[in-house]
Amino acid sequence: MANNFFKTFLLLELLKGLSVTGRYFFARHITVEYPDEKTPQGFRFRGLHAQRRYANGEERCIGCKLCEAVCPALAIKIEIAEREDGTRRTTQYDIDLTKCIFCGFCEESCPVDAIVETRVFEYHGEKCGDLYYTKPMLLANGDKHEEQIAMDRAADAKYR
Amino acid sequence: MALLQTIQQMGQGLLGAAWLPVWTVVKILVIVLPIMGTVAYLTLAERKILGWMQVRPGPNRVGPWGLLQPLADGIKLLLKEVIIPANSSKYLFLAAPVLALAPALAAWAVIPFDDGMALADVNAGLLYILAITSLGVYGIIIAGWASNSKYAFLGALRSLAQIVSYELAMGFALVCVLLAAQSMNMGDIVRGQQSQYGLLGWYFIPLFPMFVVYFIAGVAETNRAPFDLAEDESVIVAGFHTEYSGMGFALFFLAEYANMILISALTSVMFLGGWLSPVPFLPNSIIWLLVKMSFFLFLFLWFRATFPRYRYDQLMRLGWKVFIPLTLIWVAVVAAWMQTPLWLW
């Protein structure tokens, strides 16, 4: 009782609280000041999607639709047709990035490593529909970042 | 000083009887403009200090170290549209921010910044302070009522009950100062704390519980965390200023921060010897007052970073069942103490 009285009137608990914030006042800031500094990325980073090509320029995608089937957000839409040389190819391969949850299942399910997620996360759309990525856009992404994509796949290969 | 006297004489010769109001306006500006600047940079200091206590840097994008941030905020608020809610009471709605800010600035008239350096060196300075600081709540009540919004109204009601409760404890704490100083003149209160022992002569030693109660009640009076139930963001949106935008909102903001600075100045003057130096070998000067005020302003921000908000019944319990009995007892203790030879102040 008396103990409690003194604890209350000497504001001991309040002072204890103040000492905590007081100590943190002098602590080093842990903020990463984004445009100037960036946090490190792992090789499994799941950012903007890309479609890859083989070294000879042939697109990898064989239109198996596994990614479309596995996509939990129903963000992928694929139409296929037979090409002149008799292979099955996609005529349409769209990813709606406003639906995509970046789970990486499409990448996991792909038997030929055609659809991949790159390390690119700084992109935007200025109007509604800009984030609806079509096949040429995905292929262009793949062409642009192929070096990094290949390096990341190689780094991940030994864990698979 | 000689320069000031020359200016005085020149003005007197030039304007005659009209000189006194002109000179007073100049003095008012000399007090109010630095307060406004301090308010602006107090908002930055608040965001910085809260940031540091939360292990982040705080605003640092506008200007070097974010030093132009208050300017950017001010310009933004100035350029914003003033929205008057359709069902509000228009004149009261517009008058309320002014009524909130005016007392916060008017109270500065009797604050002694240095020996004899006060705008109005009146004998009832303490009474004037009590009267003026009580007026501040009208701005809040009128804002809450005129907005015709339930959140604003609830905020105003909370604020009203809170300020009435804590005003009492604050008044009684000042009665102790009054007893000790035997004067209501703010300058005399500071001079009463002068001794050859520096800070040992200040009233915070004999009146220590009152010093703590006064400052806590001051935090409650200014509606600052942890007593910010009047603008309880998580419960009633923004309380009494929910419906205000642009400059109306900015004026409430100015009033809140001007009140914080005022409470800091008052606590420094009443309990920490105003402009007096804490050690005998350093001269007394206005700088000491500024240092003491900065300390209390830092405490305001430190409290905000540390304490969670009071529940309303706890707030009332603290005000009525702890502070008021405590202050009443201490008034009696001080009154009795002063009759004995043990009173050294």
Side-chain angles (χ1 to χ4, degrees), chain A residues 71-128:
Chain A
C71 183
L74 305 181
I76 304 181
K77 178 171 171 59
I78 301 174
E79 292 293 341
I80 51 170
E82 197 180 313
R83 209 164 56 177
E84 304 87 70
D85 59 359
T87 56
R88 182 182 58 190
R89 294 293 159 185
T90 55
T91 55
Q92 187 188 1
Y93 190 108
D94 301 339
I95 295 183
D96 189 347
L97 292 180
T98 56
K99 286 185 183 170
C100 178
I101 58 170
F102 299 90
C103 61
F105 283 4
C106 48
E107 187 176 353
E108 293 287 327
S109 66
C110 189
V112 290
D113 277 358
I115 184 74
V116 291
E117 288 188 87
T118 62
R119 293 187 177 206
V120 179
F121 64 97
E122 296 155 308
Y123 57 91
H124 71 289
E126 282 171 12
K127 53 184 190 299
C128 196

Side-chain angles (χ1 to χ4, degrees), chain A residues 9 11 13-15 17-19 21-31 33-36, chain B residues 48-49 51-57 60-61 212 216 298-299 302-303 305-307 310 322 326:
Chain A
F9 276 86
L11 307 176
E13 288 179 347
L14 297 185
L15 291 176
L18 283 174
S19 79
T21 40
R23 251 178 289 134
Y24 274 99
F25 184 63
F26 297 103
R28 211 167 61 85
H29 310 148
I30 55 170
T31 307
E33 294 187 31
Y34 164 64
D36 303 335
Chain B
K48 278 275 182 195
I49 288 169
W52 288 337
M53 287 184 175
Q54 293 161 5
V55 212
R56 58 187 174 83
N60 61 358
R61 292 285 132 178
V212 176
I216 296 176
F298 181 74
L299 271 187
W302 197 355
F303 286 175
T306 310
F307 301 133
Y310 267 91
V322 180
L326 188 69

Side-chain angles (χ1 to χ4, degrees), chain B residues 91-168:
Chain B
Y91 295 107
L92 288 179
F93 187 80
L94 292 175
V98 182
L99 283 176
L101 180 60
L105 295 178
W108 285 89
V110 294
I111 303 281
F113 295 96
D114 204 341
D115 208 348
M117 209 160 117
L119 181 62
D121 196 12
V122 290
N123 282 331
L126 199 61
L127 271 185
Y128 173 81
I129 290 279
L130 281 173
I132 286 288
T133 49
S134 314
L135 278 179
V137 71
Y138 284 103
I140 292 174
I141 298 170
I142 291 174
W145 185 80
S147 299
N148 197 12
S149 145
K150 56 189 162 196
Y151 298 116
F153 190 59
L154 285 172
L157 287 182
R158 285 180 173 200
S159 176
L160 171 65
Q162 177 180 335
I163 289 182
V164 167
S165 315
Y166 281 81
E167 195 81 52
L168 286 171

